[in-house]
């Protein structure tokens, strides 16, 4: 009976998403009356010290780390799961569920696992779970690419707490990739028993365990008392789905939530001037850009792409459309990504230079094109600004607002001329920030939606993946970024920021550059 209820719940979830709205639906083993109490409890949280309420913009897609690669889902999964290794807030590798590791040869790493680690279902974490997790991840269409260099036939269990992982070739960023949410360790028994429902009843080893999901409204986690490390500071965490950013701010201000993710730039000053609130503002790992389909004429001409870069006033875009958040990017990687080339010059706003390049390309009279965007207000504002600025060099650009699913499909299929997107180099390694976006093997869904191809860039990115010496590896990436900047498959917009507001009684909170903030050390005064 319980399995049937869970399957009905899952069907309802997908149905509500399909028709475009969500009705709160209790999805857990707890009785529905308790779920109702949870909603009303969140209406007034002032004075509470055992329940942390967090507001974010979207409901997670799933809590199965192998069935999504978005942002809202990992923010919750970060509390439930753990990985073999971690990246701290300086993006340095630290032990996680693996106490130590060593290279046996250029392609083999041996991990010693921490003993005494329990899953939330009471099962003991062993090498068997590591092998099961990695093999399952490799088969995922969502995250298989993250761990794709692992040889599925080269995962060898030595004993319960020792395992060897082999890559198909020397692969320098393997530890960073293992710290990705895709490497969240799963319990084989829990996954098999749950079947298709696993994403709604997850089991990890983290400081919080899953308790309740009211779709479209909230997810509730409880403290895991058998956690192997330092336990969580609060008894429960409630993630509230508050899609409208202004409402998220208002609930923070009015004391209905303790933490609000993704604060609008327009609310920064209001938080800073409110003594009951605290603003956290840090550079993140995201680069925003406008891409060209370089296979389409006239975007196959580098002079046209460079001309458009000179014709667009990025400072104005950051000020007007992004409300001053972030800094202009000088290339595809931000300053907190290892190996980023910060010696590159930004494209200055220079209309005369743009006109010269257009004349050299034989297009001084311009041409007609289109700029694709989804229905994101900031991106629509960016598109309109660029549309107006391109008129200065006789380019007539139509702004097309495309539904998100069609947007991803269309840009993957090359149906566009220009498009607006962003990319987060979540492991702060240049392989993750360059290979999917600029290698010629990655056209379309894999990430390279500009369909950019440069044989020298391919060579450098291939070398960077297998080079173990960090200085030689860095040199490859510095050169690749210089070529990419000059080839201009993008209009390089800005490096983003994480903007989070908290109540002043929230202590122990800090932002992670990935945007996946760990909450186990947070407490309330």
């Amino acid at each position: 009976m319980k399995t049937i209820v869970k399957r009905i719940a899952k069907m309802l979830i997908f149905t509500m998403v399909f028709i475009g709205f969500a009705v709160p639906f209790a999805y857990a083993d707890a009785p529905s009356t308790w779920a109702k109490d949870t909603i009303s409890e969140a209406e007034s949280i002032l004075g509470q010290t055992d329940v942390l309420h967090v507001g974010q913009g979207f409901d997670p897609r799933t809590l199965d780390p192998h069935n999504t690669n978005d942002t809202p889902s990992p923010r919750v999964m970060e509390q439930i799961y753990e990985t073999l290794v971690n990246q701290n807030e300086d993006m340095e590798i630290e032990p996680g569920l693996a106490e130590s590791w060593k290279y046996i040869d250029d392609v083999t790493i041996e991990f010693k696992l921490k003993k005494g680690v329990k899953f939330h279902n009471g099962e003991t974490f062993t090498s068997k779970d590591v092998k099961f997790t990695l093999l399952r991840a490799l088969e995922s269409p969502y995250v298989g690419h993250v761990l794709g260099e692992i040889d599925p036939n080269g995962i060898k269990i030595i004993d319960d707490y020792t395992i060897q992982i082999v890559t198909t070739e020397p692969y320098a960023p393997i530890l960073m990739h293992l710290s990705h949410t895709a490497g969240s360790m799963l319990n084989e028994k829990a996954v098999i028993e749950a079947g298709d429902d696993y994403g709604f009843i997850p089991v990890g080893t983290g400081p919080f365990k899953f308790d309740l999901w009211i779709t479209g409204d909230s997810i509730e986690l409880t403290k895991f008392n058998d956690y192997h490390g330092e336990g969580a500071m609060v008894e429960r965490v409630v993630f509230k789905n508050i899609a409208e950013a202004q409402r998220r701010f208002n609930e923070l201000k009015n004391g209905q939530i303790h933490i609000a993710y993704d604060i609008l730039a327009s609310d920064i000053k209001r938080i800073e001037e409110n003594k009951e609130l605290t603003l956290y503002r840090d550079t993140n790992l995201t680069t925003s850009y406008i891409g060209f389909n370089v296979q389409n004429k006239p975007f196959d001409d580098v002079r046209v792409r460079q001309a458009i870069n000179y014709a667009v006033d990025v400072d104005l875009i950051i000020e007007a459309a992004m409300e001053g958040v972030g800094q202009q990017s000088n290339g595809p990687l931000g300053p907190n990504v290892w190996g980023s080339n910060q010696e590159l010059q930004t494209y200055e706003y220079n209309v005369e230079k743009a006109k010269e390049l257009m004349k050299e390309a034989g297009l001084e009279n311009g041409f007609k094109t289109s700029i694709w965007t989804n229905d994101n207000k900031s991106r629509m504002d960016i598109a309109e600004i660029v549309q107006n600025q391109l008129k200065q060099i006789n380019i007539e650009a139509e702004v097309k607002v495309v539904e998100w699913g069609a947007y991803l499909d269309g840009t993957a299929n090359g149906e566009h001329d220009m498009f607006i997107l962003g990319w987060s180099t979540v492991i702060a390694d240049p392989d993750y920030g360059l290979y999917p976006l600029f290698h010629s093997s990655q056209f379309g869904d894999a990430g390279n939606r500009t369909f950019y191809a440069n044989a020298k860039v391919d060579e450098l990115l291939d070398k960077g993946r297998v080079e173990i010496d960090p200085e030689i590896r860095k040199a490859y990436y510095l050169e690749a970024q210089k070529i990419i900047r000059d080839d201009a498959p993008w209009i390089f917009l800005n490096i983003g920021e994480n903007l989070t507001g908290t109540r002043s009684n929230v202590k122990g909170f800090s932002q992670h550059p990935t945007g996946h903030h760990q909450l186990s050390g947070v407490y309330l005064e």
Side-chain angles (χ1 to χ4, degrees), residues 234-375:
V234 294
E235 293 298 318
R236 289 187 285 163
V237 175
V238 178
F239 283 89
K240 291 193 64 181
N241 174 30
I242 309 173
E244 210 275 309
Q246 190 58 58
R247 182 185 156 208
R248 205 156 55 245
F249 167 76
N250 287 336
E251 291 206 14
L252 177 69
K253 181 185 67 173
N254 297 333
Q256 294 169 280
I257 57 176
H258 296 105
I259 298 174
Y261 291 150
D262 304 323
I263 289 293
L264 290 178
S266 56
D267 289 325
I268 289 175
K269 186 174 182 180
R270 291 201 285 174
I271 291 178
E272 291 176 332
E273 292 176 348
N274 191 323
K275 293 181 180 179
E276 296 182 344
L277 304 178
T278 301
L279 177 71
Y280 291 81
R281 183 176 185 175
D282 302 291
T283 300
N284 62 25
L285 298 162
T286 300
T287 303
S288 297
Y289 65 93
I290 301 175
F292 304 105
N293 185 339
V294 302
Q295 302 292 332
N296 287 356
K297 291 185 178 298
F299 300 110
D300 59 340
D301 190 325
V302 66
R303 293 169 297 186
V304 173
R305 303 195 300 269
Q306 290 175 341
I308 292 174
N309 267 279
Y310 284 117
V312 172
D313 187 345
V314 175
D315 284 337
L316 175 63
I317 289 174
I318 293 173
E319 186 62 32
M322 301 177 179
E323 302 189 69
V325 171
Q327 63 189 61
Q328 182 175 357
S329 58
N330 60 355
L333 300 178
N336 51 1
V337 176
W338 178 85
S340 65
N341 191 338
Q342 293 305 300
E343 299 302 316
L344 299 177
Q345 295 297 310
T346 59
Y347 279 92
E348 63 177 339
Y349 178 52
N350 188 331
V351 177
E352 293 307 312
K353 177 69 173 176
K355 288 179 178 178
E356 290 175 13
L357 287 165
M358 290 290 285
K359 186 174 182 179
E360 287 179 22
L363 290 167
E364 61 267 36
N365 294 323
F367 57 89
K368 292 183 179 181
T369 187
S370 63
I371 304 171
W372 280 28
T373 178
N374 64 310
D375 59 351

Side-chain angles (χ1 to χ4, degrees), residues 115-178:
K115 297 179 180 179
V117 175
K118 293 288 185 182
F119 282 99
H120 301 154
N121 62 353
E123 293 284 305
T124 300
F125 170 69
T126 68
S127 298
K128 183 181 178 183
D129 297 297
V130 177
K131 183 172 184 178
F132 169 79
T133 297
L134 296 179
L135 290 176
R136 185 174 185 266
L138 288 170
E139 295 176 354
S140 166
Y142 298 97
V143 299
H145 65 283
V146 178
L147 301 173
E149 294 301 314
I150 294 176
D151 180 358
N153 298 314
I155 303 172
K156 183 179 180 181
I157 294 175
I158 307 301
D159 57 45
D160 282 350
Y161 298 101
T162 309
I163 189 167
Q164 292 181 354
I165 297 174
V166 177
T167 54
T168 55
E169 58 185 349
Y171 188 55
I174 183 60
L175 290 177
M176 282 73 83
H177 281 256
L178 285 169

Side-chain angles (χ1 to χ4, degrees), residues 393-464:
I393 54 174
N394 299 317
I395 296 176
E396 184 180 332
E398 177 189 3
V399 175
K400 293 185 177 181
V401 180
V402 183
E403 183 273 328
W404 182 239
Y407 187 83
L408 293 178
D409 290 342
T411 53
N413 294 330
E415 299 168 10
H416 57 289
D417 284 340
M418 298 172 65
F419 66 105
I420 306 175
L421 270 180
W423 182 268
S424 182
T425 307
V426 291
I427 62 171
D429 186 271
D431 176 68
Y432 195 97
L434 297 176
Y435 193 92
L437 297 168
F438 302 107
H439 197 281
S440 63
S441 68
Q442 303 297 294
F443 286 172
D445 266 331
N448 187 348
R449 296 170 189 265
T450 62
F451 297 86
Y452 169 78
N454 180 302
K456 182 62 176 179
V457 169
D458 281 357
E459 177 190 347
L460 291 166
L461 297 184
D462 287 337
K463 286 182 175 179

Side-chain angles (χ1 to χ4, degrees), residues 3 53-54 94 102 179 220-221 229 286 317 322 342 373 418 430 460 475 498 502 514-515:
T3 301
H53 290 82
V54 181
E94 295 181 337
K102 63 179 180 180
S179 72
E220 184 155 342
L221 312 178
T286 300
I317 289 174
M322 301 177 179
Q342 293 305 300
T373 178
M418 298 172 65
L460 291 166
N498 288 324
T502 73
T514 60

